[in-house]
Amino acid sequence: MAATSVDPRWADGALPEDATVFDDEYPGVANLDPALLRALREAATDAGIAFYVNSGWRSPKRQNQLLRDAVAQYGSKEEAARWVATAKRSRHVVGDAVDLGPPDATSWLAEHGAGYGLCQIYRNEPWHYELRAADHGCPAMYADPTHDPRMHQ
C-alpha cells in the first residue's frame, strides 16, 4: 500500500477554515489524541452542529511561530503567555487540545461537553477544549494559561 502524502500547507498543523473534527486528511486533526478525537466526533454527531477545528495538533515549529507572533502582537512574552504557550508546554503540540468554532459549537460544548469528557480550560479562551472531565464534571477553569500549573512545570 502506497503512503499518502500530506499537502505541505497542512503538515505543521495549519488547517483550512472548513476543517472539521471528521477531516482525517489534515495532520492538525488526525494527530489529535485518539480519545479526544472520539469524544469530539461523538459530541459533534449528537449536537448536529459542525465542529470546525481552528487549531488542533501543532508541530513544535508552528507553536513557536505562533508564540513569536503573539509576542509581536501583545508586546511582551508575559502578555503573550496569556494566549499562547511555549512548544514545551502547549497541549496542542502533544495533541491534547483543540480550538473549535463556530460559536454555536462552543456554546453547545459549554453546556454539554462534560458529558463527553470535553472541558473548556481557560475562561479567556471559550474555543479551547481538552479531554479532562471526570465523574464529577469539568475542573474549575483557569483565568488564562498563566494560571495553569502545567504551564510552569
Side-chain angles (χ1 to χ4, degrees), residues 27-83:
V29 174
N31 291 344
L32 288 171
D33 173 78
L36 173 60
L37 194 52
R38 274 193 304 279
L40 288 165
R41 289 175 173 174
E42 184 180 345
T45 298
D46 290 352
I49 300 168
F51 284 17
Y52 291 104
V53 180
N54 298 323
S55 191
W57 168 85
R58 303 172 187 151
S59 71
K61 180 179 177 182
R62 180 169 177 72
Q63 186 68 30
N64 286 332
Q65 183 60 55
L66 291 172
L67 182 56
R68 285 190 298 274
D69 293 347
V71 170
Q73 178 179 353
Y74 296 110
S76 71
K77 288 181 182 179
E78 293 75 24
E79 187 62 21
R82 295 185 63 234
W83 303 99

Side-chain angles (χ1 to χ4, degrees), residues 103-115:
D104 59 339
T106 56
S107 177
W108 190 91
L109 278 174
E111 187 173 340
H112 305 285

Side-chain angles (χ1 to χ4, degrees), residues 3 8 15 17 30 35 44 58 60 74 79 83 85 89-90 100 107 112 124 131 134-135 140 143 152:
L15 291 164
E17 289 183 19
R58 303 172 187 151
Y74 296 110
E79 187 62 21
W83 303 99
R89 301 281 181 242
S90 174
L100 298 169
S107 177
H112 305 285
N124 71 326
L131 192 61
D135 292 335
H152 306 286

